[in-house]
């Protein structure tokens, strides 16, 4: 694991906004780019007092020394990052790579399924399978055509690409599970399906492949705190066993995952998360009401020395 946190932080070299809630950040981090493997993640702190946010390594370029993260702004920290993480600024901390790399060698035919934001983390696996000689069928699902991203990157590394939209505005109308049915109908020799997306999507994908006996791997994102197997926050039930997603995963056998337990645990801190978001949003509104002269400190910095309202909020 690279524990690199030199003082200037990790510079954001590029950013792309895919929608009003989804954005990618290309970070200069040569050591991370060198160490990263498909399926791994990092824990990011955008500033010194920021929350630790686990994010999957969506791409890495060893020659350029960069890693790419794709983030969905869902709560206080990811919305704050959406505001402050601009090209030229730096992330305070990026720790990793964490998690067990996904095995991408030794397969002849694989299906890589990404739903919504899950399209980003499945990319390194699709590329890794291809680099190792597999026939790769990509299945990407979005709600509508306006939300599509990285189609070109997948076309470059997939032998076949099935694009699905919920409303039929691009590709086939349907969910990624419908795409899996198409792939299975066309190929009797699929070794493995890898599916990444919201828990309910991964559950449905696993149920689609179960009757066909096709090994199905899913990537689980329970709430993580330390990311090193110490806190127990990321416990997931896999068959009769309890596993820690941060050190035993995040990839697991989708046919054994207790998705009900995962979904229940993800909602555990909903009240605290909402409180943190409300307080942050109110703070932003207050900052907007402060005249620019005060913001720039002309009337004395003490005016802006507001307490950090998030210090005491767990998980937010
Ligand atoms: C291994 C892993 C990889 C991930 N990769 C990505 C990614 O590539 N892109 C992306 O946008 N998101 C990813 N996530 C989810 C991301 O970490 C959460 O969306 C983020 O922490 C939410 O923080 P928040 O303050 O913005 O929202 P909050 O309001 O605090 O939480 C919103 C929801 O996010 C989840 N969440 C909150 N805190 C955590 C946490 N510490 N760990 C995991 N989930 C949490 C909960 O389900 C919660 O209900 C990943 C999570 C894990 C565990
Ligand atoms: S995040 Fe603490 S044990 Fe996994």
């Amino acid at each position: 694991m690279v524990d690199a946190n030199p003082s200037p932080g990790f510079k954001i070299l590029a950013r792309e906004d895919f929608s009003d809630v989804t954005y990618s950040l290309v970070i200069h981090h040569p050591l991370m780019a060198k160490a990263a493997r498909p399926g791994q993640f990092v824990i990011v702190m955008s500033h010194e007092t920021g929350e630790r946010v686990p994010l999957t390594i969506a791409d890495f370029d060893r020659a350029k020394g960069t890693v790419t993260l794709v983030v969905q702004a869902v709560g206080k920290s990811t919305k704050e990052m959406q505001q402050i993480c601009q090209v030229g600024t730096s992330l305070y901390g990026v720790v990793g790579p964490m998690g067990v790399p996904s095995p991408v060698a030794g397969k002849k035919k694989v299906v890589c399924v990404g739903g919504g934001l899950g399209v980003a983390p499945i990319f390194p696996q699709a590329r890794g399978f291809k680099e190792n000689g597999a026939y790769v069928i990509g299945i990407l699902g979005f709600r509508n055509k306006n939300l599509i991203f990285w189609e070109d990157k997948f076309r470059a590394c997939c032998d076949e690409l099935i694009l699905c939209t919920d409303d039929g505005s691009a590709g086939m109308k349907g969910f990624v599970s419908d795409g899996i049915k198409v792939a299975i109908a066309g190929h009797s020799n699929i070794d493995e399906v890898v599916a990444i997306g919201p828990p309910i999507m991964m559950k449905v994908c696993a149920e689609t492949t179960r009757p066909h006996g096709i090994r199905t791997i899913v990537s689980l994102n329970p709430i993580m705190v330390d990311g090193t197997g110490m806190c127990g926050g990321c416990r997931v039930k896999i068959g009769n066993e309890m596993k820690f997603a941060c050190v035993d995963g995040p990839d697991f056998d989708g046919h054994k995952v207790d998705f009900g337990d995962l979904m229940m645990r993800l909602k555990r801190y909903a009240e605290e998360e909402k409180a943190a978001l409300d307080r942050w949003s109110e703070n932003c509104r207050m900052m907007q009401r402060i005249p620019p002269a005060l913001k720039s400190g002309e009337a004395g910095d003490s005016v802006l020395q507001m307490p950090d309202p998030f210090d005491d909020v767990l998980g937010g």
Side-chain angles (χ1 to χ4, degrees), residues 51 74-77 223 265-280 310 313-316:
E51 189 187 16
V74 292
K76 181 241 156 182
S77 296
I223 291 181
R265 287 175 67 86
L266 278 170
K267 290 188 197 136
R268 206 161 153 197
Y269 298 108
E271 267 181 43
E272 289 87 346
E273 286 155 357
K274 184 176 178 313
L277 180 60
D278 289 348
R279 293 165 78 173
W280 176 77
F310 311 116
V313 182
L314 177 69

Side-chain angles (χ1 to χ4, degrees), residues 41 43 222-235 244-247:
F41 66 96
I43 293 190
I223 291 181
M224 290 187 183
V225 183
D226 62 317
T228 62
M230 300 293 283
C231 71
C234 66
R235 276 194 307 275
F244 289 169
C246 65
V247 287

Side-chain angles (χ1 to χ4, degrees), residues 51 54-56 70-72 75 77-78 117 221-222 224 266 273 315:
E51 189 187 16
L55 296 169
T56 306
V70 176
V71 190
Q72 191 161 30
S77 296
T78 45
L117 189 80
N221 291 358
M224 290 187 183
L266 278 170
E273 286 155 357

